[in-house]
Amino acid sequence: MDYGVNFDQNDKPNFPLQTSPRALTGFVVSHAHLDHTGALPIYQISGSKPVFGTLMTKVITEVMLKDFLKLSAAHIPYEWVEVKKTMESFTAVEYGQEFEIGPFKVRLDDAGHIPGSAMITVGTDKGVVTYTGDINLTETKLSKRAEIEKLKDTSVVVMETTYGTFRHLERPKVEDEFVNAVKEVVEGGGTVLVPAFSLSRSQEVMAVLAEKNFPYPVYFDGMIRELTRMMLENRQFVNRYDVLSKAFETFQPVRGWEDRHKVWRERGVIVASAGMLKGGPSVYYFKRIEDNPRNAIFLVSYQGERTPGRRLLEMGKFDEQSKLLKARLQMFDFSSHAGKDQLLEILRAVPNLQKVVLVHGSEQSVQGFGQLAKEQLGVEVVGPENGQDIPLWS
């Protein structure tokens, strides 16, 4: 269930542990973000392994893998032929459709994280396991809340803990504060840069501005255009197709360097990848607007440790050599991950819960939420080490 890649402080990919291809029957993918899909082609090098996920996940995974290969080819143990084999081996399945992989019966249900994201429920001869993938109970412009009512037969939950010790603000309040702040900057003669992940966060921000009938120019740059088009072509996976479609039709794509040189001089909003300012066009725009206090950088994505976005929040500087930022800096909580209260709500929706395995979070988050879950639910909680074998049933 998922096979992704993370990045070190030098932005080089870290690949996960590997096992013998003979021990693997196939893969099920929860969603298309690289930290859940980026290593899939490794198991297509010496053979072919089936991959399953939703149609939305399938089409976006291909784009993400191609872009990853283009940007990081020197550090990746596979080539284009393995990406091609991965996509040829990828079978799209619908939410609620039960299918079999070897002896296992598998079902995907909406996880509410991004369009096409899924919880993966696996039936075995000993019991039922659900892997949440990245999950969210807050309805957003892109996604409905996760279908946790489908977890009635589950006894073991493998759960993400990205925000296991954090309580999110109410989404309507965040949206209003964001739009009002953007208007304030633009009406004061400034430009707003919104660094955002190309997949999902950028579309969410654009949809919010479109729904609020934002009256000033909005530009979007990077892979955002292609990924938005794919979402609109698969409208069954988009919660508010109307406002995303309105954003795509109303706002202006940046089509090259000639446009790029112009738009940062305009009074308006630029939504650009990458979300942590580690690369992409957002860095170009940042360098052009950072010295003017009329301008603003509004962060809307998670800022990983030692990234430029995190350094801005902690030090007010892009890096150690940079001067202090003069433009306005503000963070808005547009997270598509459940916070600690929602994670507890998910577990409470599992009437036969026996064990919880916590993954996809910092050590502090896993330990903090694990203690909370033990105290409030009285179930066994495991925060495994990398590579640790976990007996799911005693």
Side-chain angles (χ1 to χ4, degrees):
M1 294 182 281
D2 287 352
Y3 200 57
V5 61
N6 282 321
F7 297 85
D8 65 18
Q9 61 184 9
N10 298 315
D11 221 25
K12 292 183 179 179
N14 287 327
F15 286 87
L17 298 177
Q18 297 181 32
T19 188
S20 168
R22 293 180 180 179
L24 288 171
T25 308
F27 293 89
V28 188
V29 179
S30 67
H31 67 287
H33 279 138
L34 277 180
D35 59 328
H36 296 257
T37 62
L40 285 173
I42 289 174
Y43 280 92
Q44 309 293 338
I45 292 174
S46 59
S48 182
K49 295 291 181 183
V51 183
F52 299 85
T54 65
L55 177 60
M56 186 83 268
T57 295
K58 179 180 180 179
V59 296
I60 294 181
T61 293
E62 183 170 3
V63 174
M64 300 298 284
L65 290 177
K66 286 180 178 178
D67 186 65
F68 179 39
L69 191 62
K70 180 176 72 174
L71 295 176
S72 304
H75 307 291
I76 299 177
Y78 57 78
E79 298 180 0
W80 161 242
V81 64
E82 283 79 40
V83 172
K84 185 172 183 290
K85 286 174 65 177
T86 300
M87 302 320 303
E88 290 172 348
S89 302
F90 202 126
T91 298
V93 294
E94 297 181 0
Y95 288 136
Q97 172 189 345
E98 189 172 87
F99 57 99
E100 294 184 356
I101 304 180
F104 305 110
K105 294 182 178 180
V106 185
R107 188 188 72 243
L108 305 183
D109 298 301
D110 195 341
H113 175 57
I114 67 172
S117 64
M119 301 179 290
I120 304 169
T121 295
V122 182
T124 77
D125 57 359
K126 292 185 178 180
V128 178
V129 182
T130 294
Y131 164 56
T132 66
D134 293 351
I135 191 167
N136 193 18
L137 297 188
T138 298
E139 182 172 339
T140 67
K141 301 297 177 283
L142 295 187
S143 301
K144 297 178 181 178
R145 59 180 269 134
E147 298 178 295
I148 59 174
E149 66 277 4
K150 302 289 184 69
L151 304 181
K152 294 178 181 177
D153 296 329
T154 294
S155 52
V156 176
V157 174
V158 182
M159 170 181 279
E160 68 128 321
T161 54
T162 308
Y163 289 99
T165 58
F166 187 83
R167 182 178 287 115
H168 295 302
L169 297 174
E170 294 182 5
R171 180 55 67 95
K173 182 178 180 181
V174 174
E175 293 176 1
D176 288 342
E177 289 180 350
F178 173 75
V179 173
N180 289 336
V182 170
K183 282 184 179 179
E184 183 181 328
V185 173
V186 174
E187 290 173 355
T191 297
V192 178
L193 170 64
V194 184
F197 301 141
S198 294
L199 176 51
S200 198
R201 194 61 46 84
S202 54
Q203 288 84 13
E204 182 72 21
V205 167
M206 289 164 57
V208 167
L209 291 170
E211 184 186 49
K212 303 289 187 181
N213 296 311
F214 187 72
Y216 302 103
V218 177
Y219 306 94
F220 53 98
D221 196 352
M223 284 177 59
I224 298 169
R225 182 184 179 193
E226 182 178 7
L227 292 171
T228 306
R229 178 181 56 77
M230 287 184 164
M231 290 181 187
L232 293 173
E233 290 174 351
N234 294 274
R235 62 184 299 165
Q236 70 271 30
F237 294 102
V238 179
N239 185 29
R240 290 291 307 278
Y241 178 87
D242 57 335
V243 291
L244 182 59
S245 177
K246 178 181 177 181
F248 195 60
E249 294 169 359
T250 305
F251 302 154
Q252 302 175 53
V254 176
R255 299 180 185 275
W257 279 105
E258 186 175 348
D259 284 354
R260 202 165 281 154
H261 291 317
K262 294 177 181 178
V263 298
W264 66 269
R265 295 181 172 89
E266 304 289 334
R267 286 195 316 143
V269 182
I270 305 169
V271 183
S273 57
M276 300 183 197
L277 286 165
K278 291 197 299 181
S282 65
V283 175
Y284 168 81
Y285 295 120
F286 175 85
K287 297 294 185 181
R288 298 303 182 279
I289 73 170
E290 63 174 325
D291 276 339
N292 188 339
R294 287 187 176 183
N295 298 330
I297 292 90
F298 288 167
L299 300 174
V300 294
S301 304
Y302 174 77
Q303 304 299 313
E305 293 184 13
R306 296 183 292 275
T307 62
R310 176 69 72 87
R311 283 192 289 268
L312 283 173
L313 291 172
E314 294 177 346
M315 302 165 41
K317 300 169 65 174
F318 185 84
D319 55 33
E320 295 289 347
Q321 291 73 41
S322 298
K323 51 193 174 183
L324 288 174
L325 177 68
K326 292 182 180 179
R328 173 176 171 179
L329 177 68
Q330 197 165 344
M331 180 80 180
F332 295 89
D333 181 13
F334 277 93
S335 176
S336 56
H337 294 264
K340 66 177 182 179
D341 295 338
Q342 291 188 338
L343 293 173
L344 285 172
E345 183 180 346
I346 294 164
L347 294 180
R348 289 193 177 102
V350 185
N352 302 312
L353 184 63
Q354 297 176 18
K355 181 177 291 189
V356 180
V357 181
L358 300 180
V359 298
H360 202 291
S362 67
E363 183 178 354
Q364 178 185 5
S365 184
V366 168
Q367 291 180 352
F369 181 75
Q371 186 62 36
L372 185 65
K374 288 177 185 177
E375 293 172 356
Q376 297 207 13
L377 303 175
V379 296
E380 181 183 357
V381 180
V382 180
E385 298 292 330
N386 198 22
Q388 178 182 339
D389 289 333
I390 306 165
L392 298 183
W393 291 276
S394 52

